[in-house]
Amino acid sequence: MKWLELLTVAGATLAAAVTVVVLYSLGVRLTAIAGDAQQASPGFKRSLAYACFGLCGLAVLFGLYLIIPYFSR
Amino acid sequence: MVALVIALALFFDFTNGFHDTANAMATPIATGAIKPKTAVTLAAILNLVGAFLSTEVAKTVSGGIIREGSDGVQITPDIIFAGLMGAILWNMITWLKGLPSSSSHALFGGLIGAAIAGIGFNSINLETLLQKVILPAIFAPVIAGVVAYVCTRLAYALTARQDPETGSKLTQKRGGFRTGQIFTSSLVALAHGTNDAQKTMGIITLVLIAAGTQTPGSGPQVWVIAACALAIAIGTYAGGWRIIRTMGSGLTEVKPAQGFAAETSTASAILASSHLGFALSTTQVASGSVIGSGMGRRGTTVRWNMVGKIALGWLFTLPAAGIVGALTALLVKTGVVGVLIAAIAGTAAVLFMFFYSRKSAVGHHNAVEVEEAGQAVRFAKKKAMARARADAKAKAKAKAKLKAEAEASTPTESPAEAEAEATTTKDAQR
């Protein structure tokens, strides 16, 4: 049986999904805070939020890069 | 015979496409993130792209269960024909019932049944069967469900906003997840293309090798890749609205953050599994994710009797497709007449199911009722926003008048106040 491979798949799935969800959620949260009425530095928060979305996108692209055999050859 | 098998394989790819549109697009359609028509178009394009991206899976998925090569038995196009027949018929039946069942299991079932009837019991490699089909079937929904549960909890915990002083709930503003869903569902569609279109490519390549037109051990040819990619894209565009209904609103009520979490886990599970050598079924992963995300949000109920129905469908997939495959294999054994009878009976059955389905058509217009509700909400929101704007204007005017009369108080206060009011009313709509 390929128990090790099963564990690898479960671990990789968890790590990838959690990374993407945490980054995106932080982005959503920061956007929400930046949109609040009384806010010290909405611009800074907003750029942080965009950084989160960007990192999330990069994580996805990196995952695709790992997967597509064209790049890893 | 080879041409017939290739045609059948492409049709199987088509049913696979419209069977599995739901995996990618059911949740964004249910939350109103994408309009149904746009969703299936997007899914079709990404399936097409995905099919070209990687052909690694094509070589590994279908091989191994039936002993091939020198030590085992030779797979003939007849066996593959019978197996495909079983898979297609089972796909059509589950589609009619709106059950998301695994197309790859139907294919395996059909091939196994055909091999048993056509060659004998010893042609089946039981250990590989256990390892490639039965264990993944148990673990796919579990892994995806647990990951989706964790992700949903995280997404809600990270975006839960409370007033630090009063402790009362602030407006949550989770609308961003709806936009995110467009990307995650696209990722699922892409993963589906890299995964499922490959199976048909593997089958056609197997037939070509068996017929002697291709050297053993070589990868799929370019025209095979193109044909399979097109077939699955067209199938996806046709849209399995019945299954979308089950996945989108039958299992649990889906909110954008949940959908986002579910799709992320689906995409990562499919991509991780197919490239780390433990192939999981797309459909089972997607269903597991939806259930997991349903359990992750407080106040949501998972409709367990629907879950039971789907699980029962999964249990029957292998034997049912196997029986049809076996019957077809027996018919084919009798000669050309048998092949003709099988082909005609299969076409008739597919046509019958298609026309039967027309009696209670489920299309993009009524697949998920949430769409209408979403539009209603959006409409109301627009109206309310217009009203809020008008209110704010009226107030500002009144205040300006007051100011002009009294010529006192701070001049910056009133617009700021009006703006704050406008934003709060806007937030209340979310």
Side-chain angles (χ1 to χ4, degrees):
Chain A
M1 274 306 115
K2 299 182 181 172
W3 294 113
L4 192 68
E5 287 183 10
L6 182 72
L7 270 182
T8 329
V9 168
T13 306
L14 189 67
V18 164
T19 315
V20 170
V21 167
V22 163
L23 281 174
Y24 198 87
S25 304
L26 278 178
V28 168
R29 174 91 198 236
L30 285 168
T31 331
I33 295 174
D36 275 349
Q38 61 274 29
Q39 186 52 238
S41 54
F44 176 62
K45 298 259 165 58
R46 201 168 286 277
S47 44
L48 257 184
Y50 287 140
C52 275
F53 288 136
L55 273 178
C56 182
L58 275 184
V60 171
L61 286 181
F62 179 65
L64 285 179
Y65 167 78
L66 284 181
I67 279 163
I68 298 171
Y70 179 77
F71 295 118
S72 48
R73 237 181 274 142
Chain B
M1 192 68 198
V2 173
L4 193 63
V5 173
I6 291 174
L8 209 59
L10 288 178
F11 185 71
F12 168 74
D13 212 17
F14 173 82
T15 61
N16 190 349
F18 80 69
H19 217 270
D20 291 5
T21 324
N23 298 337
M25 291 304 168
T27 42
I29 289 174
T31 58
I34 319 178
K35 286 218 176 74
K37 275 276 181 189
T38 326
V40 291
T41 316
L42 185 65
I45 292 168
L46 285 161
N47 260 310
L48 194 66
V49 174
F52 280 105
L53 275 185
S54 151
T55 52
E56 293 298 300
V57 188
K59 296 166 195 158
T60 54
V61 170
S62 57
I65 291 176
I66 299 168
R67 292 204 183 98
E68 351 161 10
S70 50
D71 56 328
V73 282
Q74 204 63 47
I75 301 187
T76 56
D78 296 5
I79 302 292
I80 297 172
F81 172 82
L84 282 171
M85 200 56 112
I88 289 172
L89 284 183
W90 181 250
N91 262 357
M92 291 296 286
I93 292 170
T94 45
W95 163 71
L96 205 57
K97 292 265 163 216
L99 289 179
S101 80
S102 165
S103 306
S104 21
H105 279 198
L107 184 59
F108 287 149
L111 283 176
I112 290 167
I116 290 176
I119 302 166
F121 237 109
N122 62 338
S123 61
I124 303 302
N125 195 343
L126 268 182
E127 199 196 335
T128 324
L129 173 70
L130 191 71
Q131 187 168 310
K132 280 208 170 178
V133 182
I134 295 172
L135 277 181
I138 299 167
F139 284 109
V142 173
I143 292 177
V146 168
V147 172
Y149 175 81
V150 171
C151 287
T152 312
R153 292 307 286 265
L154 271 174
Y156 275 99
L158 281 171
T159 52
R161 283 148 43 85
Q162 279 179 341
D163 203 314
E165 284 137 40
T166 57
S168 63
K169 263 193 181 173
L170 281 174
T171 46
Q172 307 283 309
K173 291 191 193 164
R174 289 192 180 114
F177 281 118
R178 194 166 284 152
T179 321
Q181 270 197 295
I182 298 171
F183 296 103
T184 49
S185 57
S186 306
L187 212 56
V188 177
L190 194 73
H192 184 252
T194 62
N195 208 12
D196 278 36
Q198 314 295 325
K199 285 165 199 156
T200 319
M201 289 180 208
I203 292 287
I204 294 180
T205 308
L206 211 61
V207 173
L208 288 177
I209 291 172
T213 50
Q214 195 177 339
T215 49
S218 57
Q221 290 171 3
V222 178
W223 68 267
V224 175
I225 300 176
C228 290
L230 264 180
I232 206 163
I234 295 167
T236 308
Y237 182 71
W241 301 108
R242 287 165 187 272
I243 302 172
I244 288 178
R245 171 185 274 182
T246 307
M247 294 278 282
S249 58
L251 281 171
T252 181
E253 191 190 340
V254 186
K255 288 263 158 45
Q258 278 175 292
F260 183 84
E263 283 152 21
T264 314
S265 358
T266 309
S268 31
I270 297 168
L271 291 175
S273 72
S274 60
H275 292 271
L276 290 173
F278 202 97
L280 301 178
S281 155
T282 323
T283 310
Q284 291 169 345
V285 166
S287 316
S289 296
V290 172
I291 296 168
S293 74
M295 298 197 311
R297 186 166 76 93
R298 240 170 291 153
T300 332
T301 47
V302 176
R303 296 188 186 88
W304 289 109
N305 59 340
M306 184 54 105
V307 177
K309 252 196 216 167
I310 291 171
L312 211 63
W314 289 353
L315 269 183
F316 277 115
T317 299
L318 217 53
I323 289 167
V324 179
L327 287 179
T328 319
L330 288 178
L331 259 179
V332 168
K333 250 188 175 177
T334 58
V336 184
V337 184
V339 175
L340 273 181
I341 293 175
I344 290 167
T347 320
V350 168
L351 281 179
F352 170 74
M353 278 187 259
F354 178 71
F355 284 114
Y356 184 78
S357 76
R358 298 300 285 268
K359 269 204 270 182
S360 56
V362 179
H364 61 92
H365 50 89
N366 63 349
V368 181
E369 290 82 355
V370 181
E371 227 270 316
E372 258 97 37
Q375 272 175 352
V377 169
R378 235 172 282 145
F379 183 59
K381 200 200 276 179
K382 254 186 209 159
K383 238 182 182 175
M385 259 157 82
R387 207 184 303 131
R389 223 176 290 135
D391 276 3
K393 238 185 223 168
K395 256 180 214 161
K397 235 185 213 169
K399 267 189 190 148
K401 220 184 243 173
L402 270 174
K403 231 188 290 161
E405 278 172 11
E407 266 191 16
S409 82
T410 50
T412 50
E413 198 190 56
S414 62
E417 247 176 41
E419 203 178 288
E421 261 169 23
T423 45
T424 46
T425 39
K426 226 185 274 173
D427 291 346
Q429 311 300 328
R430 290 256 165 101

